[in-house]
Amino acid sequence: MSLLAQRITRQVSLAAPSTSKRLFATAVDVEALTKAVSEPTQPSKAELDATRQRPPTNVKINPDHGLWAFFRKDKEGKVLTLEPAHKTEDFSGRSWHAVELRRKSFKDLHTLWYVCLRERNLLATQRAEFRRLNIGVDGTTNLMDKDKRVRKTMKLIKLVLNERRLAYEQAKALWDQGQHAPAERAESLLEEPSEPVASPST
């Protein structure tokens, strides 16, 4: 008998007359009570379906919503949750080289950074969809290779921007050192040498 049943039996035995028949009846009722408390009844499936709130199906979705940018679209504009097999099995392409990125303007690098960021979001969405459908990602698709190439491009963009920042700081430091007499330096460059230059002997 559980601790709860013993306490209730003790309280009932103190309050009730001391007949063994009555104590036995109260002990059986207490056991039924403790069993009902310890094992709650599960609601039926019909009761669960009646109380469960389902999302409405007639909600109009904006086709230009920003979250659709996490999915690729085909030529007709239809959203693809997974890319076709001929695209996921294509292992061509490469990342940008630092030499190519050094020729780009700040605006082009900024735009390319956000193109790469959007591509990484697309790839992460597709990986999550593959995982949800229990499809292997590593060996059969090029999603991991694409993600590696995009990350390498973003790393090189940061490298090129850091090079430009260091070059700017060095140029500014040189300018600050020679700023006190730029006119004198320009005049000294334009002056003719004081000693005549000897002509080469023939």
Side-chain angles (χ1 to χ4, degrees):
M1 192 182 295
S2 68
L3 185 63
L4 176 65
Q6 289 176 358
R7 286 183 184 171
I8 293 174
T9 306
R10 198 174 307 135
Q11 289 175 359
V12 169
S13 63
L14 291 174
S18 59
T19 59
S20 60
K21 200 180 237 185
R22 184 170 290 223
L23 284 176
F24 180 74
T26 55
V28 170
D29 291 339
V30 170
E31 285 178 6
L33 176 67
T34 55
K35 186 176 180 183
V37 170
S38 62
E39 298 176 6
T41 57
Q42 295 290 333
S44 66
K45 186 179 178 188
E47 290 174 350
L48 285 175
D49 288 341
T51 57
R52 186 178 294 139
Q53 294 181 351
R54 295 177 183 265
T57 56
N58 57 353
V59 176
K60 292 182 180 178
I61 300 172
N62 184 5
D64 296 329
H65 196 280
L67 288 177
W68 289 119
F70 287 97
F71 298 95
R72 294 199 193 279
K73 294 183 179 178
D74 59 2
K75 292 179 182 177
E76 291 120 21
K78 184 181 175 184
V79 175
L80 302 172
T81 56
L82 294 176
E83 281 189 309
H86 69 278
K87 289 195 174 181
T88 54
E89 293 169 1
D90 181 19
F91 288 86
S92 62
R94 64 170 178 85
S95 59
W96 285 72
H97 296 305
V99 178
E100 298 166 334
L101 294 172
R102 287 187 185 107
R103 298 178 191 153
K104 300 291 181 185
S105 65
F106 281 105
K107 185 178 179 182
D108 289 343
L109 290 177
H110 188 81
T111 305
L112 184 59
W113 175 270
Y114 279 100
V115 168
C116 290
L117 188 63
R118 180 178 176 272
E119 183 68 21
R120 286 199 69 195
N121 284 333
L122 280 167
L123 294 172
T125 304
Q126 287 193 5
R127 273 201 315 273
E129 189 69 10
F130 272 108
R131 207 176 300 120
R132 186 180 71 85
L133 297 173
N134 292 326
I135 302 174
V137 179
D138 296 331
T140 57
T141 64
N142 65 350
L143 296 178
M144 303 304 284
D145 291 335
K146 275 186 180 180
D147 190 46
K148 189 186 292 184
R149 291 194 293 263
V150 173
R151 279 189 287 122
K152 186 176 178 184
T153 298
M154 294 175 85
K155 178 181 166 186
L156 290 174
I157 290 172
K158 288 167 78 173
L159 173 77
V160 169
L161 290 176
N162 192 41
E163 286 175 354
R164 292 183 185 182
R165 180 185 63 83
L166 292 174
Y168 169 75
E169 288 176 358
Q170 289 173 358
K172 188 173 182 298
L174 288 173
W175 174 259
D176 291 342
Q177 288 174 2
Q179 191 176 9
H180 58 278
E184 294 174 8
R185 268 193 305 157
E187 288 175 6
S188 66
L189 290 174
L190 294 174
E191 285 178 2
E192 294 180 2
S194 56
E195 298 178 4
V197 178
S199 62
S201 60
T202 55

